[in-house]
Amino acid sequence: MASNNHIDLCNVRLPLLDERELYRLSIRDGNWTHIRKQEADAADPEVIDLEAWKSEQRGPTDGIPTLDLQGKILLPGYVDAHMHLDKSFSLTTVENISGTLEEAILNYSAAAPTFSKEEIKARMMRSALQALSFGTTHIRTHLDFNLKYSRDIALRTIEAALEAREALAPYITLQLFPMCPFNFMSLDNEAIEEALRMGVDGIGGAPHLSQTPEEDIDFIFKMAEKYDVPIDLHCDETDNPQMRTVAYVAKRTQEEGYQGRVAVDHLCALASMTDEDAGGIIDQMAEAKLKAVSLPAVNLYLQGRHDTFPVRRGVTRLKQIHERGIPIAVASDNIHDPFHPFGRGDLLQIALIGSYAAHMGRPADLRTLLRMITEAPANVLGLTSYGLTEGNAANFVILDGRSTEEIFTLLPERRWVYCQGRFVRSPGSKAEWNNTTLAQFWQGATQAVSFQKHEFAKG
Ligand SMILES: [Zn+2]
């Protein structure tokens, strides 16, 4: 297959720069080398309509092609700052009848010993590829680390994840964050060090679920410093306005000089607090240079389950956190598992749900939401060489729409995904890969992971 790591693009619309203008872009060796506004009368001698582009029809001696986007939207590859790839597509075997976070955790934990490494890897491959097909080029995934049964069961997930990360590395970048289980201080916590030695990218957890949250947070900081890795915590994923582990995380971040290396996710409790209390916490987050991630779809689904009307909806204060200057991303969280029966790994869909949940629908809000699935999560992941700047890696998605309002309205299925020097997907069904290896991965993963519901045991 001919490489397309040298390519020019014209008539490109870039909502993250200036949507009123059209741009001309050049890619050489997979990097942006030219990003400029197009002259009004610029005419290319030979342009190829993007719709007709077939890289395999180019010979090695053909010149560098110019693809005409005809005003379509181009965004840097989406960055999903918070997924649970290992749990995805487990709803066939793990149910959640009450729809609460508590039952999801309980049932998934009970089922954990029955999952083989191959099954976990297939689920990760399937959901990561599905996300790639919609335009995601980088993912941070949290990983179940179930020490309740044995070290082997906990490490099985890590092994599966390391294999998936390696297989997918030429196409999509995965960051792996094992979650220290809550109340783990009495468990085999040396296993966490083993996971860190195996080469995961950081350390996670959900200290608000612990009976000893401060001790858990202290331990997580100790491990992070010992292995020199970032921290990413589920924080206060509850309607309880008194839950404020984020304040302790902010304090410890400053004490340890870990500013810029700690992400706090969910922050649902902030949505239940008074404005005054929430404002104070958001100030502490800003002072500690915490980064934030909101998971609007899953919060809408799981939170408020213990309320009678009026029912709280759990989504944190997106606008307020953003306006305070804290980088905040919106991300997918769970896909088709007991925590969330839906989701497809499409961050544009998540941005739309964020728009509903946070009342962000003005033109400026929609452009902010686009940053919340691109630049803000790239900041959370600590990516260098990301985004629309000359010299950076040219990973991007083109959407079949000509304004931000249009893509939020239509969530176009027709997308072109370019990563690491080539187009990997062109329009059609989401499984329509331009790459043989990806097509094989997709086939294997979709055969192994189905929507066919297993029979649940009665009783
Ligand atoms: Zn999560």
Side-chain angles (χ1 to χ4, degrees):
M1 188 180 293
S3 159
N4 18 124
N5 62 352
H6 300 323
I7 216 160
D8 289 336
L9 306 172
C10 67
N11 292 316
V12 184
R13 206 174 300 277
L14 300 174
L16 298 189
L17 298 185
D18 181 352
E19 196 169 321
R20 296 161 302 179
E21 302 276 349
L22 290 171
Y23 282 78
R24 188 184 169 88
L25 315 176
S26 296
I27 299 163
R28 298 292 179 270
D29 294 319
N31 294 316
W32 296 119
T33 54
H34 176 103
I35 302 177
R36 306 280 163 80
K37 285 181 183 171
Q38 205 161 284
E39 300 296 326
D41 56 355
D44 284 290
E46 191 207 351
V47 295
I48 304 164
D49 187 345
L50 176 71
E51 301 277 355
W53 165 245
K54 297 263 189 301
S55 64
E56 63 275 16
Q57 289 171 0
R58 308 281 299 180
T61 55
D62 289 337
I64 293 170
T66 300
L67 304 187
D68 183 356
L69 271 61
Q70 299 185 344
K72 291 185 181 69
I73 296 270
L74 183 148
L75 294 168
Y78 303 144
V79 180
D80 207 320
H82 184 133
M83 296 186 85
H84 292 266
L85 298 176
D86 57 326
K87 292 185 170 114
S88 65
F89 295 100
S90 64
L91 191 60
T92 49
T93 46
V94 190
E95 59 188 347
N96 179 2
I97 299 304
S98 67
T100 58
L101 176 61
E102 295 80 357
E103 184 181 337
I105 293 171
L106 207 67
N107 292 359
Y108 193 87
S109 170
T114 67
F115 301 135
S116 68
K117 186 180 92 176
E118 288 67 33
E119 180 180 354
I120 296 166
K121 183 181 169 188
R123 297 198 310 228
M124 295 190 73
M125 296 287 283
R126 169 159 188 164
S127 40
L129 288 172
Q130 196 164 309
L132 175 64
S133 78
F134 287 115
T136 296
T137 54
H138 299 78
I139 292 173
R140 176 175 287 181
T141 181
H142 297 262
L143 297 171
D144 193 45
F145 199 71
N146 195 323
L147 284 172
K148 208 167 96 185
Y149 299 99
S150 72
R151 179 182 290 215
D152 284 350
I153 286 166
L155 293 177
R156 186 187 289 174
T157 305
I158 306 299
E159 287 166 15
L162 290 167
E163 287 181 18
R165 184 181 71 182
E166 191 185 336
L168 292 173
Y171 313 100
I172 181 167
T173 307
L174 304 188
Q175 289 189 355
L176 310 178
F177 278 61
M179 292 181 71
C180 293
F182 51 98
N183 303 329
F184 65 91
M185 301 303 277
S186 58
L187 302 170
D188 173 20
N189 63 43
E190 208 278 326
I192 292 161
E193 295 208 46
E194 187 160 345
L196 287 160
R197 285 194 295 268
M198 285 164 77
V200 296
D201 301 276
I203 184 165
H208 61 279
L209 296 170
S210 171
Q211 281 151 17
T212 55
E214 297 193 354
E215 285 87 335
D216 287 25
I217 292 165
D218 290 343
F219 177 85
I220 288 167
F221 269 93
K222 197 169 103 189
M223 288 296 107
E225 284 170 78
K226 182 168 175 188
Y227 291 90
D228 192 24
V229 291
I231 295 171
D232 194 322
L233 298 172
H234 289 62
C235 257
D236 309 330
E237 185 183 359
T238 168
D239 297 314
N240 175 3
Q242 299 308 322
M243 190 65 81
R244 295 168 190 204
T245 63
V246 64
Y248 189 70
V249 173
K251 174 173 173 280
R252 296 293 290 128
T253 300
Q254 286 182 297
E255 286 169 358
E256 299 303 319
Y258 236 59
Q259 292 94 332
R261 298 189 79 190
V262 180
V264 287
D265 310 353
H266 287 290
L267 305 166
C268 306
L270 283 176
S272 281
M273 286 177 205
T274 62
D275 287 344
E276 194 187 350
D277 284 5
I281 293 207
I282 292 168
D283 284 344
Q284 286 173 270
M285 289 168 57
E287 280 154 24
K289 295 194 166 39
L290 299 184
K291 298 172 182 182
V293 183
S294 173
L295 297 307
V298 170
N299 297 150
L300 287 169
Y301 188 77
L302 289 175
Q303 300 302 310
R305 292 278 178 169
H306 304 291
D307 288 348
T308 53
F309 286 98
V311 174
R312 288 168 290 182
R313 306 314 311 274
V315 180
T316 197
R317 297 167 181 253
L318 266 189
K319 238 189 301 193
Q320 205 176 334
I321 294 170
H322 168 72
E323 282 163 5
R324 186 65 178 77
I326 297 167
I328 179 162
V330 291
S332 290
D333 215 3
N334 298 72
I335 293 178
H336 198 63
D337 68 13
F339 296 81
H340 184 224
F342 317 123
R344 59 178 201 171
D346 176 9
L347 278 178
L348 187 60
Q349 183 193 49
I350 295 295
L352 176 65
I353 293 170
S355 162
Y356 278 99
H359 289 161
M360 291 176 69
R362 298 171 307 169
D365 292 334
L366 295 184
R367 283 147 187 91
T368 298
L369 281 161
L370 290 183
R371 293 185 198 283
M372 289 182 177
I373 59 173
T374 54
E375 292 167 354
N379 183 339
V380 172
L381 267 66
L383 300 181
T384 53
S385 192
Y386 176 86
L388 295 165
T389 303
E390 291 173 8
N392 285 352
N395 299 313
F396 60 86
V397 54
I398 298 167
L399 297 106
D400 191 11
R402 283 162 183 78
S403 72
T404 294
E405 284 70 18
E406 184 180 349
I407 63 170
F408 269 90
T409 302
L410 298 180
L411 305 182
E413 286 295 323
R414 305 186 73 245
R415 302 182 194 188
W416 291 256
V417 182
Y418 182 100
C419 65
Q420 301 187 29
R422 69 273 204 234
F423 281 98
V424 295
R425 185 205 164 195
S426 299
S429 72
K430 58 182 166 298
E432 192 173 296
W433 303 102
N434 301 346
N435 175 294
T436 322
T437 309
L438 284 172
Q440 285 166 355
F441 283 163
W442 177 255
Q443 198 184 11
T446 46
Q447 271 169 6
V449 176
S450 79
F451 283 90
Q452 190 72 45
K453 195 104 176 154
H454 294 219
E455 270 301 309
F456 293 120
K458 300 276 185 293

